[in-house]
Amino acid sequence: MDSSNKNLVLRILLTISLVLVSEAAHESRGIPSEEEKKEMERQLKAINKPAIKSFKTEQVEIFDCIDIHKQLAFDHHLLRNHSVKLKPTSVPKWPITYDNKGQKVGPMQLQLKGISCPHGTVIVKRTTIQDLINSQHLKSIGFNIPRHVLSQGSNIDLSGHHFATADYDYDNVAGVTGNINLWDPQVSHDQVSLATMAIAGGPKIEQLASISVGWMVNPLLYQDHIHLYTYWTADGYNKTGCYDIRCPGFVQVSKRIPLGVLLQPISVYNGTQKEMDLSLHQVVTSRVSGVNVGYWPQSLFIASGLVKGADLASWGGQVYSPKTEKSPIMGSGHFPKEGFGKAAFVNNIHIMNGKGEALIPQIYTIETHESSPNCYKAKFVHDEDEPWIRAVYFGGPGGC
């Protein structure tokens, strides 16, 4: 497989996070049997660790303060002897090289109101039976795509999947950063709209590793509105990986910011723009608004390409809709040509090389990709274009 085809496959596989529902799944979604309920209850006992303190939000979601050393991550067979690293061994200094016209959402705004976890604990969202039911649908639909890719080659069925991104298609990416503009697009129950920043790599498709972080509107995963999300896999979405902390793997270290948290405030069209700074560095660490939220230990990716560096970095938007529905809006719902204050963006784009150096990517290394340009577009902004050195505008009204 040549490099261009490989990068196409990597981009397609990054859209796996959108393979959430289909007509068949929609029709088969039903009430679990008594035997299935008992199995789910057994799973819940394993997933939801004993809480030292618990809190219920206005959205009727329960968050638990869990002993940092007894969290779900350590149920993973590769992490049973893992020692928690509260801080990364080194943090790259990401240079700020742009005129920041938007307002950053800070750590205090991401904290859940009235929730304070004690020292030595981390905050996690409690999993429910409904979460497990939804997860079963996601896995049954989305995790077979790599085999489809391998068998069909370039004839990949992208029905219902749409993306508009700026991609860095060069080897040796050890980290990325970006400030993602916050919007809250309206979607139906079985649609998805998200803004993401991702890295991916691997010597073979079945060993593809990827990590994504950003915001998502997805009623199947989250009740409503815009939520912070992560996704990872170490084997081409075959057996490993999940969203947030719905499976062992991600080691939470923050007692303030949980994965899956509702994000607010959001941007206003032709008004104040809100953005959240995100970074993935040293392959495994996730920082949100300057706070080290947690990390994916390198042992999870021991057989994959991410330990030695990624092949692709990507910033932009993605949506999904069943074939029976018109596709939802992406970002603000407006095309990039409308510019700042009206179109969604990711600014302050940087990459980290294998030496741990944070760099502004050269202009020729970034390309935009639009799967459905009539409905969604991406525009790479650089140097002479105000107001940033490196950024991407993305989005559109949908309707495909």
Side-chain angles (χ1 to χ4, degrees), residues 10 120 128 151 153 162 258 271 286 340 354 374:
L10 289 178
T128 66
S151 63
H162 311 275
S286 177
F340 182 81
N374 289 335

Side-chain angles (χ1 to χ4, degrees), residues 288-350:
V288 179
S289 295
V291 175
N292 181 28
V293 175
Y295 62 97
W296 295 267
Q298 282 194 345
S299 56
L300 294 173
F301 305 98
I302 197 166
S304 70
L306 283 191
V307 173
K308 297 181 180 180
D311 299 315
L312 172 72
S314 182
W315 304 262
Q318 299 177 16
V319 298
Y320 172 77
S321 182
K323 298 177 185 178
T324 54
E325 300 179 40
K326 290 185 177 181
S327 59
I329 66 174
M330 179 190 294
S332 68
H334 295 262
F335 286 122
K337 65 180 181 180
E338 294 194 36
F340 182 81
K342 298 178 180 179
F345 59 83
V346 183
N347 67 33
N348 199 30
I349 288 175
H350 290 80

Side-chain angles (χ1 to χ4, degrees), residues 160-217:
H161 303 264
H162 311 275
F163 55 88
T165 60
D167 301 323
Y168 179 90
D169 289 347
Y170 286 79
D171 293 338
N172 202 25
V173 178
V176 291
T177 188
N179 293 352
I180 295 184
N181 191 204
L182 301 181
W183 294 87
D184 191 14
Q186 298 299 304
V187 303
S188 67
H189 178 73
D190 46 8
Q191 292 180 330
V192 183
S193 185
L194 62 84
T196 188
M197 180 177 74
I199 55 176
K204 299 178 180 179
I205 297 303
E206 60 268 23
Q207 293 177 325
L208 174 86
S210 75
I211 298 175
S212 304
V213 60
W215 60 253
M216 178 186 291
V217 180

Side-chain angles (χ1 to χ4, degrees), residues 79-138:
L79 304 181
R80 285 171 184 163
N81 297 317
H82 181 77
S83 298
V84 177
K85 296 177 175 59
L86 296 178
K87 295 181 179 180
T89 53
S90 63
V91 178
K93 185 177 180 180
W94 301 104
I96 298 176
T97 56
Y98 63 92
D99 178 14
N100 184 15
K101 292 189 175 184
Q103 294 183 3
K104 283 189 178 182
V105 174
M108 295 299 293
Q109 292 172 294
L110 296 179
Q111 284 185 246
L112 295 165
K113 294 180 180 179
I115 294 181
S116 177
C117 285
H119 181 71
T121 68
V122 292
I123 184 166
V124 298
K125 181 181 179 295
R126 186 182 299 180
T127 301
T128 66
I129 284 184
Q130 189 60 48
D131 291 333
L132 294 181
I133 293 173
N134 291 338
S135 295
Q136 286 183 352
H137 290 303
L138 307 186

Side-chain angles (χ1 to χ4, degrees), residues 248-390:
F250 183 82
V251 178
Q252 176 87 9
V253 298
S254 174
K255 66 176 185 178
R256 297 187 293 168
I257 301 177
L259 298 183
V261 66
L262 178 69
L263 297 175
Q264 52 186 343
I266 61 171
S267 301
V268 177
Y269 180 77
N270 204 23
T272 302
Q273 298 301 292
K274 299 293 183 178
E275 58 188 62
M276 173 176 60
D277 65 300
L278 301 171
S279 66
L280 296 170
H281 59 85
Q282 288 187 321
V283 175
V284 297
T285 304
S286 177
R287 292 174 66 86
V288 179
S289 295
V291 175
N292 181 28
V293 175
Y295 62 97
W296 295 267
Q298 282 194 345
S299 56
L300 294 173
F301 305 98
I302 197 166
S304 70
L306 283 191
V307 173
K308 297 181 180 180
D311 299 315
L312 172 72
S314 182
W315 304 262
Q318 299 177 16
V319 298
Y320 172 77
S321 182
K323 298 177 185 178
T324 54
E325 300 179 40
K326 290 185 177 181
S327 59
I329 66 174
M330 179 190 294
S332 68
H334 295 262
F335 286 122
K337 65 180 181 180
E338 294 194 36
F340 182 81
K342 298 178 180 179
F345 59 83
V346 183
N347 67 33
N348 199 30
I349 288 175
H350 290 80
I351 57 107
M352 186 173 73
N353 63 18
K355 298 179 182 179
E357 301 169 327
L359 304 173
I360 299 173
Q362 296 293 321
I363 295 175
Y364 68 86
T365 64
I366 301 289
E367 293 184 359
T368 58
H369 294 94
E370 306 161 340
S371 62
S372 308
N374 289 335
C375 296
Y376 312 102
K377 293 184 180 295
K379 177 184 178 182
F380 178 44
V381 175
H382 52 82
D383 296 323
E384 299 87 2
D385 300 311
E386 292 292 340
W388 306 297
I389 301 298
R390 299 289 186 275

